[in-house]
């Protein structure tokens, strides 16, 4: 598993960002603060099938603190979501570049600089969130490979894939190997009328009706909560900003992807 994770992580190429904060002992506190780097990422990138969107390019310049906050939001949403969410490759790329800058600054710092220990602690925290985020995604891809690829195949051409290019290749190869293994170890030894692998029935799918805790990042109006008993008792609710809720994931999943709702 660690080897598979390393392959996925190493295949992601960092993009350019400005220099992060310097640890040089010759830098005073004001200069140290002003040298804090910024991350720049674009929302125009390849989807899982290797295609590009024709929408206008959008670039956003953010500070390292804002970048880390974005990573934390992506990590928590992925951790508590029952399904695989849209990939956040631009955020991951910027974080990887920021980690490289911090590691270089730590290596070049003067021995005895008290800020080294603080930066190492922060660096370990960032790495933990990044590695955990990627491991969670790989685990979901392996668990729900069939349904994820089926959903990706059915999606509209203008809809962003949930998989990055690397994840799409990994999921396809993984599912291919699972099918080959099941065929060789089980199906070939069954009667011919039982050799059909019905993946819609046999392969696990995410439970989107699972209850989740969430926080409204913005005020959201008119959320339809459908009645699972089919008695027609649907309910429409409004969410106020900063309020906390517990409800089924399915009615609010689109708001999670848009950033209006944060899973906690």
């Amino acid at each position: 598993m660690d080897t598979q994770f390393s392959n996925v992580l190493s295949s992601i190429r960092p993009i350019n960002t400005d220099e992060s904060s310097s640890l040089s002992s010759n830098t005073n506190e004001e200069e140290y603060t002003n040298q804090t780097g910024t991350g720049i990422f674009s929302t125009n990138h390849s989807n899982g099938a290797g295609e590009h969107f024709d929408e206008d390019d959008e670039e956003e310049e953010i500070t390292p603190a804002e970048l880390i906050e974005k990573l934390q939001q992506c990590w928590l949403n992925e951790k508590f979501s029952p399904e695989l969410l849209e990939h956040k490759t631009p955020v991951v790329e910027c974080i990887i570049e920021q980690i490289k800058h911090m590691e270089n600054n730590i290596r070049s710092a003067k021995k005895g600089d008290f800020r080294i220990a603080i930066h190492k602690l922060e660096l370990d925290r960032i790495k933990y969130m990044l590695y955990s985020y990627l491991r969670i995604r790989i685990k979901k891809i392996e668990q729900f490979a069939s349904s994820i690829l089926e959903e990706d195949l059915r999606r509209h051409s203008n809809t962003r894939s949930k998989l990055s290019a690397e994840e799409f290749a990994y999921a396809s190869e993984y599912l291919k190997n699972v099918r080959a293994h099941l065929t060789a170890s089980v199906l070939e030894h069954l009667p011919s009328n039982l050799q059909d692998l019905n993946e819609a029935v046999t392969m696990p799918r995410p439970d989107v009706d699972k209850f989740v805790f969430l926080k409204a990042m913005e005020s959201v109006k008119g959320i339809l909560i459908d009645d699972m008993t089919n008695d027609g008792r649907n309910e429409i609710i409004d969410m106020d900003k900063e309020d906390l809720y517990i409800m089924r994931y399915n009615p609010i999943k689109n708001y999670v992807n848009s950033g209006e709702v944060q899973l906690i």
Side-chain angles (χ1 to χ4, degrees):
M1 180 67 179
D2 290 338
T3 303
Q4 297 169 342
F5 168 73
S6 300
N7 292 337
V8 173
L9 180 58
S10 62
S11 65
I12 300 177
R13 297 180 300 171
I15 61 178
N16 294 328
T17 58
D18 296 335
E19 194 70 29
S20 61
S21 51
S22 173
L23 286 175
S24 172
S25 60
N26 296 326
T27 306
N28 59 37
E29 290 301 322
E30 182 178 357
E31 292 173 336
Y32 173 76
T33 302
N34 291 336
Q35 288 176 0
T36 301
T38 58
I40 303 176
F41 62 87
S42 171
T43 59
N44 183 24
H45 52 278
S46 299
N47 63 11
E51 300 169 348
H52 287 80
F53 293 98
D54 294 327
E55 300 170 353
D56 294 337
D57 292 355
E58 295 181 8
E59 288 190 351
E60 179 182 355
E61 185 172 335
I62 58 177
T63 66
E66 293 171 335
L67 181 61
I68 294 171
E69 184 179 357
K70 281 184 176 292
L71 173 63
Q72 185 175 21
Q73 291 172 351
C74 296
W75 171 52
L76 291 176
N77 281 338
E78 197 68 66
K79 182 177 181 179
F80 296 118
S81 168
E83 66 172 352
L84 185 75
L85 300 178
E86 291 181 4
H87 67 95
K88 303 296 183 182
T89 300
V91 175
V92 172
E93 289 175 339
C94 278
I95 285 292
I96 291 175
E97 188 68 20
Q98 192 70 21
I99 287 174
K100 290 182 178 179
H101 284 315
M102 294 180 69
E103 289 175 336
N104 290 335
N105 288 333
I106 290 174
R107 283 193 294 266
S108 62
K110 185 176 180 180
K111 187 176 180 180
D113 194 322
F114 73 94
R115 290 172 294 187
I116 293 179
I118 299 174
H119 274 250
K120 283 185 176 179
L121 185 63
E122 179 68 6
L123 184 59
D124 289 341
R125 185 176 76 93
I126 297 171
K127 284 183 176 180
Y128 173 80
M129 287 192 294
L130 176 62
Y131 295 165
S132 177
Y133 170 73
L134 294 176
R135 286 183 185 276
I136 290 169
R137 289 189 62 83
I138 291 176
K139 181 179 179 180
K140 287 182 179 180
I141 289 172
E142 292 180 347
Q143 185 177 4
F144 306 122
S146 178
S147 63
I148 290 172
L149 290 174
E150 179 185 345
E151 180 183 348
D152 191 80
L153 183 64
R154 296 198 314 263
R155 69 183 174 84
H156 192 272
S157 58
N158 291 330
T159 303
R160 189 184 302 277
S161 173
K162 291 183 177 181
L163 300 169
S164 67
E166 296 81 10
E167 290 172 337
F168 181 83
Y170 177 80
S172 300
E173 185 67 20
Y174 178 83
L175 184 59
K176 175 184 175 182
N177 292 337
V178 168
R179 288 169 175 166
H181 173 71
L182 290 177
T183 300
S185 61
V186 179
L187 297 180
E188 286 183 350
H189 305 286
L190 296 177
S192 58
N193 62 325
L194 297 177
Q195 290 185 1
D196 180 29
L197 180 61
N198 187 353
E199 295 184 1
V201 177
T202 58
M203 296 294 187
R205 293 178 175 271
D207 180 14
V208 293
D209 286 320
K210 176 182 178 181
F211 279 80
V212 293
F213 288 92
L214 57 100
K215 178 180 180 181
M217 307 303 291
E218 303 289 342
S219 296
V220 183
K221 306 295 183 181
I223 300 177
L224 176 63
I225 308 297
D226 56 305
D227 182 18
M228 296 184 64
T229 62
N230 295 322
D231 290 337
R233 293 179 296 179
N234 297 337
E235 183 180 2
I236 296 179
I237 67 169
D238 296 333
M239 288 186 181
D240 296 326
K241 186 176 181 179
E242 302 296 328
D243 281 358
L244 305 179
Y245 301 86
I246 177 172
M247 63 178 64
R248 289 188 299 113
Y249 172 77
N250 195 39
I252 53 92
K253 64 180 181 179
N254 291 333
Y255 300 102
V256 174
N257 287 323
S258 67
E260 296 172 277
V261 165
Q262 170 75 54
L263 300 183
I264 56 177

